[in-house]
Amino acid sequence: MINTVLFDLDGTLADTAPDLAHALNAVRLKYNLPVLPFDMIRPVVSHGGKALIELGFAQTQIDADFETLRQQLLQHYHSNLATHTVLFPGMAKLLDSLETRGHNWGVVTNKPGWLTDPLLQALNLDQRARCVVSGDTLPQRKPDPAPLLHACQQCGSETQQCLYVGDAQRDIEAGRRAGMQTLVALFGYIGEYEQPDTWGADAMVESPEAILEWLK
């Protein structure tokens, strides 16, 4: 029986794409490049800063190296973490329902702690989450199962009592390798050519409300 629900952050728990897209375009504008359409950036957000810089600058000729661009992106994002970021519709109700039912919930993300922690504080979730495992909490990151196993320990749960919800293939891989049940968040940042039905999750859900129905 599931007693702990763990969430990926970007594209699963919170809709962070508007602020990350703004950060990427701010860096592009610094180098006199036109802004990219939001619809082009959104599917890439769950893949992190490296993927965003590759999207924004792979086809450009500018006098800056990759790491410089990545740091500029992250610094701009850090200064504007929660300007437009909100929980996905229905997620607040889901978290309330989990707490009412006595379930643990937590966050396991590849986002570094210096970005994860202030974002959860801005969303007033930092005191509610039973555990928060960021991308630099351990030496390993998803798709390695270690962060999820660490989260289980913090919640006092066995892996078979845990559900992991994510919107990227590495989320499902990590959850499966950890021995958890997994759900694909189809409402997240899944690209047009990705095939979540091949990732091996226990189910796919269209909304946070569907997660609660699945648990029932």
Side-chain angles (χ1 to χ4, degrees):
M1 184 175 181
I2 300 297
N3 62 20
T4 294
V5 181
L6 302 170
F7 299 94
D8 175 47
L9 180 51
D10 299 270
T12 303
L13 184 69
D15 188 4
T16 58
D19 288 326
L20 280 160
H22 183 267
L24 177 61
N25 279 324
V27 179
R28 282 179 60 87
L29 287 171
K30 179 177 179 177
Y31 294 96
N32 298 313
L33 298 171
V35 299
L36 295 178
F38 177 70
D39 289 346
M40 180 183 295
I41 299 174
R42 186 182 189 273
V44 181
V45 165
S46 280
H47 301 294
K50 179 177 183 292
L52 286 169
I53 292 302
E54 288 173 349
L55 172 69
F57 294 92
Q59 305 301 321
T60 62
Q61 299 294 324
I62 59 172
D63 187 22
D65 62 27
F66 179 90
E67 186 56 25
T68 296
L69 294 169
R70 192 178 74 88
Q71 289 302 323
Q72 290 173 353
L73 169 74
L74 295 179
Q75 289 297 335
H76 185 91
Y77 176 59
H78 182 257
S79 299
N80 302 273
L81 269 171
T83 303
H84 300 291
T85 291
V86 295
L87 296 181
F88 278 101
M91 186 58 72
K93 180 179 178 181
L94 170 60
L95 298 182
D96 288 342
S97 297
L98 292 175
E99 293 171 359
T100 298
R101 295 171 63 175
H103 284 41
N104 302 315
W105 69 267
V107 176
V108 182
T109 175
N110 279 356
K111 205 184 197 81
W114 66 281
L115 296 174
T116 299
D117 294 342
L119 177 56
L120 292 177
Q121 290 168 12
L123 295 173
N124 296 314
L125 296 178
D126 56 309
Q127 298 300 313
R128 294 175 61 185
R130 180 67 182 270
C131 69
V132 177
V133 180
S134 298
D136 51 2
T137 301
L138 301 176
Q140 305 90 345
R141 291 157 45 101
K142 299 178 295 182
D144 193 291
L148 289 173
L149 295 173
H150 183 65
C152 282
Q153 292 174 351
Q154 289 189 318
C155 291
S157 297
E158 301 294 331
T159 56
Q160 63 268 25
Q161 297 173 308
C162 296
L163 169 69
Y164 188 50
V165 187
D167 68 319
Q169 185 171 2
R170 67 175 172 276
D171 298 328
I172 305 307
E173 180 182 344
R176 293 181 64 197
R177 291 173 63 188
M180 299 180 182
Q181 297 189 63
T182 57
L183 295 179
V184 177
L186 294 176
F187 52 87
Y189 308 143
I190 298 175
E192 179 182 358
Y193 299 106
E194 293 186 86
Q195 298 179 305
D197 57 316
T198 67
W199 296 349
D202 291 280
M204 299 185 292
V205 291
E206 297 278 358
S207 67
E209 292 91 344
I211 299 171
L212 192 60
E213 290 301 314
W214 187 88
L215 287 169
K216 292 178 181 178

